[in-house]
């Protein structure tokens, strides 16, 4: 019934298994990948006919994690998986980026990748299994995919590269890098680093590329026995005559448009040219011809822009290859925000706002590996007006999620520890203008915004996007790319870091891959650009403000004995609720006895701390306290003097003279000052009123001793 094909290798000290022929047989290609005990089923399917009227490749990638893979039942009312989480969305993008450039030019059939995590051993990240499975499924599918590719995760622990580190190993790693590529070149890099040098980062990429080669070999061996016949593609139509006609109608005007330095003016001119050409060459409602003309116009644009850069080494806006656009940085732009910054680089601008919160504001993340809390969040918004367009504003797009996470990774290495800065930090980057690398503008703006809020970063972080134009053996690496250079170029290479090293590196390639030499040039050129941007940022603010905004909450932290937690909380939370209601402060208690008291009113914090300290403090013999008489009896008075702690003032310790009745001196509810005389083995406290001056609180017993 089944014709099962299986390939097994030892990879990074664990077994990697590729299996096809038993599951999802109606997809063009389906492979179950198991690494350790993490299994991911990947199915690749392509439509039988091309989609008319489009000038792009309609590829969709869906990555989905099933709760059953980790032996869990989903939370929530419906008890089933809902919309993709942030992590799932990011892995969709991770898979899409290296495979998209490897489909045959002109292939316009709708194609879908569905990767489903079916088993998770809580050690091996399933994203690598999903990437490997995608490559294998496409390679055996018969779809026009010019693979296979391999993928690997690289860690850097104690100065050594580690292949596919486990979740536990990543906790001590200075690097979390995912690289994908073909046998000959690198296609995609995604990483987060702890201020590592360019040499270490380049070495990590090359290490990962070398270590993925056995996986590529295994996929090829699987394809030799399991691959389907290649899909028959229609013979490419000869559009040379139409191409010549379009060049005749548009090339001169396009060259003139690209001589315009201002983006909005240039975009308007190009739009008019394209509309005019389409009006002349495309009949009404002819979607197929419209798509062809659009594609040929784009091809002409690429020829003009790329050719001029390679020949003249000058760019669209007249800059030299390694020149960064003019930068303007401003902080404290919003009066009520805890921290804010406006970062502008050329025609790219980000208004970035930092908000500080307490432990209650931490984000709960429900992952397959378990639920955890995140104290640092960065959200990126890209409204249509930022590029001068009109569009529907709905939910967060995959692009917004990806760009926000890239900036998040770039900044995480420089954050203070919770002990140094016990606040929850949320950053929102509003892209108000965009013409190239708004994600890196978000990094720069977020760094300034956090310092404006008083967040003690280790060092400021800057970021830059690099581009590549490659024609044959000749190439040009571009610093601080424009939107058109990204759109028409071959590489989007983003580098963020501090003066001490790189904190994040992301690379996407639109061609068959790039070499170590080109990556080395790009990294070194990016280092110079990052240093320049950082210098310009420092003119606005070079370090965290000593004083936080008046509108930000203040947090004070104390540590108590864990055995006292119950006393602070009280029965059913009665005590802690009373503290919050009376003082107006917010009190968070952690399991290890850490208590965080927060409020924008310092007096409220002080009152709550005094209350808590009174509850948990132990009485000291010889110390004077103020207390409340809670009960009187024939032989004395019981006084509540330290939180919930009571002590007895014997009738003989009420006054210097003989007292007939306790009620002659004190009554229930009186506030008196008492001295601790002693504590017996059972914890009972003996107090004295007579040795304390009730007006001044002076210790009369010690005073007498001093006078003698």
């Amino acid at each position: 019934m089944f014709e099962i094909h299986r390939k097994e290798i030892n990879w990074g000290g664990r077994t990697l298994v590729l299996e096809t022929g038993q599951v999802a047989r109606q997809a063009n290609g389906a492979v179950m990948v198991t690494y350790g005990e993490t299994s991911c089923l990947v199915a690749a399917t392509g439509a039988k006919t091309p989609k008319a009227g489009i000038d792009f490749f309609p590829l969709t990638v869906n990555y989905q994690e099933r709760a059953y893979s980790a032996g869990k039942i989903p939370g929530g009312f419906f008890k089933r998986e809902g919309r993709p989480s942030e992590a799932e969305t990011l892995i969709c993008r991770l898979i899409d980026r290296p495979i998209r450039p490897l489909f045959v030019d002109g292939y316009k059939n709708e194609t879908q990748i569905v990767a489903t995590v079916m088993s998770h051993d809580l050690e091996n990240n399933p994203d690598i299994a999903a990437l490997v499975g995608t490559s294998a499924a496409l390679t055996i599918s018969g779809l026009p995919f010019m693979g296979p590719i391999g993928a690997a995760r690289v860690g850097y622990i104690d100065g050594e590269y580690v292949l596919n580190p486990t979740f536990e190993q990543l906790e001590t790693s200075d690097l979390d890098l995912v690289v994908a590529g073909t046998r000959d070149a690198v296609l995609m890099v995604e990483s987060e680093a702890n201020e590592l040098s360019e040499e270490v980062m380049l070495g990590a990429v090359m290490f990962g590329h070398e270590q993925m080669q056995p996986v590529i070999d295994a996929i090829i061996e699987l394809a030799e026995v399991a691959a389907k016949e290649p899909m028959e593609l229609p013979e490419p139509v000869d559009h040379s005559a139409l191409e010549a006609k379009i060049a005749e109608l548009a090339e001169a005007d396009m060259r003139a448009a690209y001589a315009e330095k201002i983006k909005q003016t240039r975009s308007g001119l190009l739009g008019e040219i394209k509309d005019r050409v389409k009006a002349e060459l495309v009949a009404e409602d002819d979607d197929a011809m419209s798509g062809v003309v659009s594609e040929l116009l784009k091809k002409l644009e690429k020829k003009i822009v790329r050719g001029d850069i390679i020949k003249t080494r000058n760019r669209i806006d007249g800059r030299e290859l390694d020149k960064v656009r003019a930068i303007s940085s401003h902080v404290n732009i919003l009066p009520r925000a805890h921290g804010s910054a406006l970062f502008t680089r050329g025609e790219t601008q980000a208004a970035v706002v930092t908000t500080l919160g307490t432990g209650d504001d931490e984000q709960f993340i429900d992952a397959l590996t378990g639920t955890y809390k995140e104290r640092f969040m960065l959200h990126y918004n890209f409204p249509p007006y930022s590029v001068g367009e009109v569009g529907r504003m709905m939910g967060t797009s995959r692009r917004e999620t990806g760009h926000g996470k890239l900036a998040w990774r770039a900044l995480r290495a420089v954050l203070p520890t919770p002990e140094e800065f016990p606040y929850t930090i949320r950053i929102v980057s509003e892209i108000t203008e965009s013409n190239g690398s708004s994600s890196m503008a978000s990094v720069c703006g977020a760094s300034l915004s956090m310092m404006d809020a008083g967040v003690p970063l280790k060092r400021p972080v800057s970021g830059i996007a690099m581009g590549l134009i490659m024609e044959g053996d000749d190439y040009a690496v571009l610093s601080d790319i424009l939107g058109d250079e990204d759109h028409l170029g071959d590489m989007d290479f983003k580098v963020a870091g501090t003066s001490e090293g790189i904190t994040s590196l992301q690379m996407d390639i639109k061609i068959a891959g790039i070499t170590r030499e080109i990556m080395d040039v790009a990294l070194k050129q990016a280092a110079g650009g990052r240093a320049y941007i950082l210098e310009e940022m420092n003119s606005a603010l070079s370090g965290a403000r000593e004083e936080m905004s008046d509108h930000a909450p203040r947090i004070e932290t104390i540590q108590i004995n864990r055995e006292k937690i119950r006393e602070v909380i009280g029965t059913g939370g009665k005590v802690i609720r009373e503290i919050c209601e009376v003082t107006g402060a917010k009190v968070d208690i952690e399991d290890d006895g850490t208590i965080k008291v927060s409020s924008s009113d310092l007096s409220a914090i002080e009152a709550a701390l005094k209350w808590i300290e009174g509850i948990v403090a132990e009485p000291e013999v010889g110390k004077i306290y103020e207390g409340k008489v809670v009960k009187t009896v024939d032989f004395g008075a019981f006084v509540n003097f330290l939180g919930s702690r009571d002590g007895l003032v014997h009738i003989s310790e009420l006054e210097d003279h003989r007292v007939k009745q306790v009620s002659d001196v004190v009554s229930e509810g009186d506030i008196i000052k008492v001295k601790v005389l002693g504590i017996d083995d059972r914890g009972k406290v003996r107090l004295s009123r007579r040795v304390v001056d009730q007006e001044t609180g002076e210790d009369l017993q010690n005073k007498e001793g001093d006078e003698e």
Side-chain angles (χ1 to χ4, degrees):
M1 182 176 183
F2 300 113
E3 186 178 352
I4 300 172
H5 299 285
R6 177 186 173 96
K7 182 63 185 175
E8 181 177 318
I9 63 171
N10 185 286
W11 188 41
R14 280 146 284 176
T15 301
L16 174 72
V17 179
L18 309 177
E19 185 175 285
T20 187
Q22 185 173 26
V23 182
R25 292 173 295 163
Q26 295 186 51
N28 289 81
V31 175
M32 180 75 81
V33 177
T34 301
Y35 190 48
E37 292 184 345
T38 292
S39 297
C40 187
L41 172 66
V42 184
T45 312
K48 302 296 187 291
T49 56
K51 190 170 184 177
I54 59 171
D55 61 351
F56 63 92
F57 171 38
L59 172 66
T60 303
V61 176
N62 298 97
Y63 168 88
Q64 49 199 15
E65 296 179 341
R66 298 306 191 206
Y68 60 70
S69 66
K72 297 173 63 177
I73 294 176
F77 182 79
F78 294 103
K79 297 298 178 185
R80 70 171 296 161
E81 292 82 1
R83 65 181 183 180
S85 66
E86 180 184 83
E88 288 171 310
T89 299
L90 293 169
I91 295 173
C92 288
R93 288 170 56 84
L94 195 72
I95 296 169
D96 183 298
R97 285 155 48 196
I99 65 173
R100 186 175 287 274
L102 293 183
F103 283 86
V104 171
D105 286 341
Y107 176 63
K108 296 294 189 294
N109 299 35
E110 285 192 281
T111 302
Q112 184 177 41
I113 307 296
V114 179
T116 306
V117 179
M118 307 192 79
S119 177
H120 194 346
D121 60 11
L122 308 184
E123 290 186 8
N124 298 290
N125 199 315
D127 57 1
I128 296 299
L131 269 165
V132 170
T134 298
S135 173
L138 285 170
T139 302
I140 68 172
S141 68
L143 300 176
F145 175 69
M146 307 304 289
I149 64 167
R153 170 171 270 103
V154 180
Y156 191 65
I157 303 173
D158 297 330
E160 298 288 337
Y161 296 120
V162 178
L163 175 63
N164 296 332
T166 63
F167 286 110
E168 184 178 355
Q169 287 175 311
L170 281 175
E171 291 178 2
T172 59
S173 176
D174 288 323
L175 175 68
D176 182 3
L177 179 144
V178 175
V179 57
T182 61
R183 188 186 294 281
D184 302 316
V186 174
L187 286 166
M188 183 274 295
V189 176
E190 183 77 48
S191 67
E192 179 182 347
N194 188 17
E195 295 182 288
L196 297 178
S197 68
E198 281 75 12
E199 291 75 19
V200 171
M201 294 298 289
L202 181 58
V205 173
M206 293 299 106
F207 174 82
H209 184 253
E210 176 188 346
Q211 295 298 319
M212 72 176 68
Q213 298 308 312
V215 177
I216 294 175
D217 293 338
I219 293 172
I220 291 173
E221 291 174 18
L222 181 70
E224 287 174 347
V225 295
K228 296 180 180 178
E229 289 298 316
M231 173 186 285
E232 288 190 14
L233 295 175
E235 287 292 325
V237 180
D238 183 6
H239 292 301
S240 55
L242 180 60
E243 192 173 347
K245 180 64 176 176
I246 289 173
E248 179 186 333
L249 292 171
E251 184 169 357
D253 290 338
M254 272 193 175
R255 289 189 180 278
Y258 273 108
E260 175 57 56
K261 304 294 188 292
I262 300 174
K263 177 192 173 184
Q264 293 297 328
T265 305
R266 182 171 65 249
S267 297
L269 291 173
L270 289 169
E272 291 173 6
I273 294 166
K274 292 173 183 178
D275 289 342
R276 174 169 52 80
V277 171
K278 284 187 176 182
E280 184 166 340
L281 299 179
V282 181
E284 190 175 350
D285 298 329
D286 190 347
D287 291 338
M289 179 56 75
S290 178
V292 171
V293 171
S294 293
E295 196 163 344
L296 293 176
L297 282 166
K298 182 178 178 181
K299 183 178 179 180
L300 178 60
E301 276 189 90
K302 292 181 73 172
K303 172 188 169 185
I304 293 169
V305 173
R306 295 164 63 89
D308 286 351
I309 290 174
I310 290 291
K311 291 175 185 175
T312 67
R313 313 311 263 189
N314 284 324
R315 299 159 65 178
I316 295 172
D317 57 359
R319 280 182 294 149
E320 297 175 2
L321 299 183
D322 61 351
K323 183 81 171 179
V324 177
R325 289 170 289 175
I327 290 171
S328 173
S329 300
H330 301 277
V331 295
N332 194 26
I333 61 169
L334 300 173
R336 295 288 297 189
H338 299 165
S340 57
L342 183 69
F343 179 84
T344 309
R345 187 189 61 247
E347 295 171 301
T348 296
Q349 184 180 78
V352 190
V353 183
T354 296
T355 306
L356 303 178
T358 65
D360 286 350
D361 298 308
E362 291 181 337
Q363 182 182 15
F364 280 85
I365 308 293
D366 187 14
L368 290 182
T369 51
T371 300
Y372 63 94
K373 293 195 289 186
E374 178 57 63
R375 60 183 286 263
F376 176 52
M377 296 159 276
L378 195 153
H379 300 141
Y380 166 104
N381 297 316
F382 191 88
Y385 67 75
S386 66
V387 288
E389 296 178 357
V390 176
R392 295 183 66 185
M393 297 181 65
M394 302 179 70
T396 306
S397 68
R398 284 187 174 187
R399 181 182 183 276
E400 288 174 312
T401 299
H403 280 42
K405 197 65 174 182
L406 173 60
W408 180 88
R409 290 191 180 105
L411 293 158
R412 207 159 69 114
V414 300
L415 293 177
T417 64
E419 291 73 28
E420 295 170 328
F421 194 72
Y423 290 84
T424 297
I425 304 169
R426 183 190 183 224
I427 298 172
V428 178
S429 176
E430 305 284 1
I431 304 304
T432 49
E433 294 181 32
S434 181
N435 185 15
S437 191
S438 55
S439 63
M440 294 297 97
S442 297
V443 170
C444 301
S447 181
L448 289 169
S449 175
M450 280 197 286
M451 291 190 295
D452 185 50
V455 180
L457 301 181
K458 294 177 185 175
R459 278 167 286 277
V461 180
S462 64
I464 189 170
M466 312 295 292
L468 173 72
I469 304 294
M470 193 166 187
E471 297 288 345
D473 293 331
D474 201 1
Y475 66 88
V477 175
L478 317 178
S479 293
D480 180 24
I481 54 175
L482 300 172
D484 286 338
E485 291 170 340
D486 181 12
H487 178 61
L488 302 173
D490 297 320
M491 177 180 76
D492 183 9
F493 189 96
K494 298 184 174 99
V495 189
T498 68
S499 57
E500 300 300 310
I502 292 171
T503 57
S504 183
L505 170 64
Q506 184 186 84
M507 182 183 75
D508 292 310
I509 298 298
K510 301 174 188 175
I511 53 179
I514 63 169
T515 62
R516 181 188 182 114
E517 176 195 356
I518 296 175
M519 283 193 66
D520 190 27
V521 171
L523 280 169
K524 288 177 179 175
Q525 195 167 310
R530 285 194 296 110
Y532 169 75
I533 294 169
L534 198 55
E535 185 178 343
E536 294 297 307
M537 290 167 55
N538 287 341
S539 65
L541 193 62
S542 59
R545 297 191 189 279
E546 293 185 4
E547 294 293 328
M548 296 192 301
S549 165
D550 292 339
H551 307 296
R554 265 52 175 182
I555 299 178
E556 294 290 340
T557 302
I558 60 171
Q559 191 76 33
I560 68 170
N561 189 317
R562 293 177 63 183
E563 295 177 358
K564 296 284 186 177
I565 293 176
R566 184 170 57 182
E567 295 180 31
V568 177
I569 295 174
T571 305
K574 178 182 177 181
V575 175
I576 195 169
R577 280 200 305 272
E578 186 180 4
I579 296 172
C580 295
E581 290 169 3
V582 173
T583 66
K586 184 187 293 184
V587 180
D588 296 315
I589 303 179
E590 297 178 7
D591 293 340
D592 64 352
T594 300
I595 297 182
K596 296 178 183 177
V597 182
S598 59
S599 173
S600 56
D601 183 355
L602 287 176
S603 63
I605 294 177
E606 291 170 359
L609 286 174
K610 185 177 180 181
W611 195 327
I612 294 168
E613 287 167 354
I615 294 172
V616 302
E618 294 291 341
E620 297 180 28
V621 175
K623 188 172 181 179
I624 294 172
Y625 297 91
E626 187 173 80
K628 180 180 180 181
V629 178
V630 293
K631 186 178 180 181
T632 60
V633 291
D634 292 341
F635 53 84
F638 288 96
V639 177
N640 175 230
F641 69 98
L642 190 62
S644 59
R645 197 68 178 262
D646 293 345
L648 173 66
V649 180
H650 191 268
I651 192 170
S652 62
E653 293 293 337
L654 286 173
E655 291 283 3
D656 282 337
H657 55 80
R658 184 175 182 276
V659 176
K660 291 183 178 181
Q661 292 185 25
V662 174
S663 58
D664 292 340
V665 181
V666 296
S667 301
E668 290 185 13
D670 287 353
I671 304 298
I672 63 174
K673 297 178 177 65
V674 293
K675 180 179 179 179
V676 177
L677 298 180
I679 306 171
D680 67 17
D681 294 340
R682 294 177 295 173
K684 291 186 177 182
V685 182
R686 292 188 298 111
L687 303 173
S688 175
R689 177 182 179 277
R690 70 178 183 83
V691 299
V692 182
D693 188 314
Q694 293 301 302
E695 291 186 5
T696 65
E698 187 178 5
D699 188 340
L700 300 176
Q701 195 174 41
N702 285 343
K703 184 177 179 181
E704 290 172 4
D706 293 340
E707 290 175 352
E708 291 175 1

